[in-house]
Amino acid sequence: MGRFTLIRRTMGRKPIRGALLIASIAIAFFIYLVLTSFEHGFLGGEVDSERLIVTNKVGDALPLPISYYDKILALSDVAGATYMARSRATYQTPTNFLGLTAAEPASFAAFIGDQYDIPADALARFGQVRTGAIVGRSIATQEGWVVGQNITLNTSSFFKADGSSDFEFEIVGILDGRKSADTHFVMARYDYINSERGSDRDTVSSFGIVPKNGVRPDAVIKAVDTLFANSAYETRTRTEAEFMRAFIAQFADITTIVRVVVGVAFVTILMIVANTMFFAIRERTREIGVLKVLGFSRRFILCNILAETFALFAVGLSLGLGFAFMAVVFLREPLRTIVPHLVLTPPIILQAIGLAVLLALATGAAPAFNAIRVPPNAALRER
């Protein structure tokens, strides 16, 4: 009888117990994979660019003077820059939320060029129409918007002199995102929004910076923040990834929530599997004694028990991965507005495999070593 046949028959001895163990492991990894994908997606995915975001040092929601733009652009290590004023907006109903970004057409399009595809004719039209707007594919599909349509958005941060916060736009184009980039927003012209505002005129929410090739982001960060140190509006410059993490942390510590839930799930599964394996090995004490009498080494017995545990986790992980993939695909569109990058990425899968290996060792090592310590004569007397 080969090793694999022995493992298969051992696992099939108690099929209901084995199925329940595999189901428990699959559920734990399903929770881990889905929640981790949710965490990464909520934080904006893996941002690997060297773009920098400049905000007010006191708080990201506070404005900065637009006059900073020329000073930032004049820095020797800066290849390009842009500015933007952001606001949450609603369409038709108070609960139909979307993002509204007021920006300078050319520089902002260049800044986001590696994340979004903007048709050239749409960008040209955007520069010509004062009330023009380029809308993301996601929100356009949801609302049935088409090029040439006029829409009215109610904003939460932009207010006119008469107190109104309704702004009218003409859709001049639709942009598409690359690598699951969020497209649930509307891009408007800053000069239009700024001229209509009755408060906070000539201010922006943030600046975007692209460092020159070969220049370390840290050097640009220091140069920008030093330039505006001790001014009325001091700045805080961060990488785009750091900015996104700080932005999400204002609403909830998603990382802590995910780790707590996943930790509880895995500790529970660890206790269940370890306890079951102890009982399973105890039931086979006599068989282990027979194997020792027949000349099978302690190493052979140890490897067999560990292999059984690894097999349980491999099957459980495979099932959990399959169900998690289906769940992510199913939830991606409904959750796109709050989780723009819901994807089960290879790094997340590799982390799950590493966890499966560690948990298999943790749950299988103690029962295995306990089994090989039993003397053959004592094992054969076991009933």
Side-chain angles (χ1 to χ4, degrees):
M1 182 184 296
R3 182 189 296 270
F4 292 106
T5 303
L6 181 61
I7 295 172
R8 179 174 54 82
R9 291 186 177 180
T10 301
M11 291 180 62
R13 170 181 296 186
K14 302 280 187 178
I16 296 179
R17 181 173 65 189
L20 290 175
L21 277 177
I22 290 173
S24 300
I25 296 169
I27 291 171
F29 279 103
F30 171 80
I31 294 172
Y32 169 79
L33 291 164
V34 172
L35 288 183
T36 305
S37 298
F38 181 88
E39 175 197 352
H40 282 241
F42 201 63
L43 293 176
E46 296 181 5
V47 180
D48 55 4
S49 73
E50 294 187 343
R51 289 189 298 265
L52 304 175
I53 303 295
V54 183
T55 58
N56 193 302
K57 184 178 181 180
V58 179
D60 294 342
L62 297 177
L64 288 172
I66 195 174
S67 58
Y68 281 10
Y69 175 65
D70 291 333
K71 297 177 181 179
I72 291 174
L73 201 56
L75 292 173
S76 60
D77 291 334
V78 172
T82 190
Y83 52 87
M84 62 212 83
R86 288 193 171 101
S87 174
R88 189 172 66 171
T90 58
Y91 178 66
Q92 293 185 337
T93 64
T95 58
N96 190 13
F97 296 107
L98 65 143
L100 175 62
T101 300
E104 193 280 321
S107 64
F108 188 71
F111 184 72
I112 64 172
D114 63 337
Q115 291 181 299
Y116 297 95
D117 289 319
I118 304 176
D121 58 340
L123 191 58
R125 180 72 176 159
F126 188 47
Q128 297 168 357
V129 180
R130 181 170 175 269
T131 60
I134 296 179
V135 302
R137 180 69 64 181
S138 174
I139 185 64
T141 301
Q142 175 183 303
E143 303 299 335
W145 291 342
V146 295
V147 175
Q149 180 177 345
N150 292 316
I151 59 174
T152 300
L153 301 181
N154 180 270
T155 69
S156 62
S157 302
F158 304 147
F159 297 96
K160 298 180 178 179
D162 61 2
S164 170
S165 58
D166 290 336
F167 289 81
E168 295 181 356
F169 301 98
E170 177 188 338
I171 298 176
V172 297
I174 298 176
L175 61 81
D176 291 287
R178 301 175 183 174
K179 300 180 181 179
S180 301
D182 175 33
T183 57
H184 205 82
F185 70 95
V186 172
M187 183 169 68
R189 285 179 48 160
Y190 176 83
D191 57 353
Y192 165 55
I193 298 293
N194 190 53
S195 64
E196 295 289 324
R197 285 198 289 185
S199 60
D200 291 330
R201 186 172 292 183
D202 295 331
T203 64
V204 297
S205 303
S206 58
F207 296 94
I209 298 176
V210 179
K212 287 184 177 178
N213 289 333
V215 177
R216 293 182 57 195
D218 290 345
V220 181
I221 291 173
K222 183 177 180 180
V224 173
D225 291 343
T226 300
L227 179 63
F228 302 112
N230 300 318
S231 67
Y233 299 91
E234 293 188 274
T235 60
R236 182 183 180 189
T237 308
R238 288 162 288 180
T239 63
E240 195 172 9
E242 292 173 342
F243 171 77
M244 287 301 301
R245 283 192 289 268
F247 178 77
I248 297 301
Q250 298 176 36
F251 303 95
D253 193 345
I254 298 300
T255 300
T256 300
I257 294 172
V258 169
R259 288 176 180 173
V260 168
V261 174
V262 170
V264 170
F266 275 121
V267 168
T268 303
I269 295 304
L270 185 68
M271 295 172 63
I272 292 173
V273 176
N275 187 58
T276 305
M277 288 300 297
F278 268 113
F279 277 103
I281 298 303
R282 186 174 180 180
E283 291 174 358
R284 297 183 348 233
T285 301
R286 186 178 180 85
E287 296 174 13
I288 293 171
V290 171
L291 289 175
K292 289 181 178 180
V293 171
L294 292 176
F296 288 94
S297 66
R298 290 156 59 102
R299 181 179 178 182
F300 176 87
I301 296 171
L302 176 67
C303 290
N304 262 23
I305 296 172
L306 287 176
E308 181 181 342
T309 310
F310 273 93
L312 286 172
F313 273 90
V315 176
L317 173 61
S318 300
L319 290 175
L321 182 59
F323 286 120
F325 179 78
M326 290 188 290
V328 167
V329 171
F330 178 77
L331 294 172
R332 184 177 299 153
E333 196 58 37
L335 296 179
R336 182 174 291 276
T337 57
I338 58 174
V339 190
H341 306 276
L342 187 58
V343 181
L344 190 58
T345 61
I348 295 175
I349 296 174
L350 290 176
Q351 290 173 13
I353 293 173
L355 273 174
V357 172
L358 291 175
L359 290 172
L361 284 172
T363 55
F369 280 107
N370 187 54
I372 64 176
R373 289 202 307 268
V374 179
N377 58 340
L380 291 175
R381 289 198 301 268
E382 183 76 19
R383 293 186 182 274

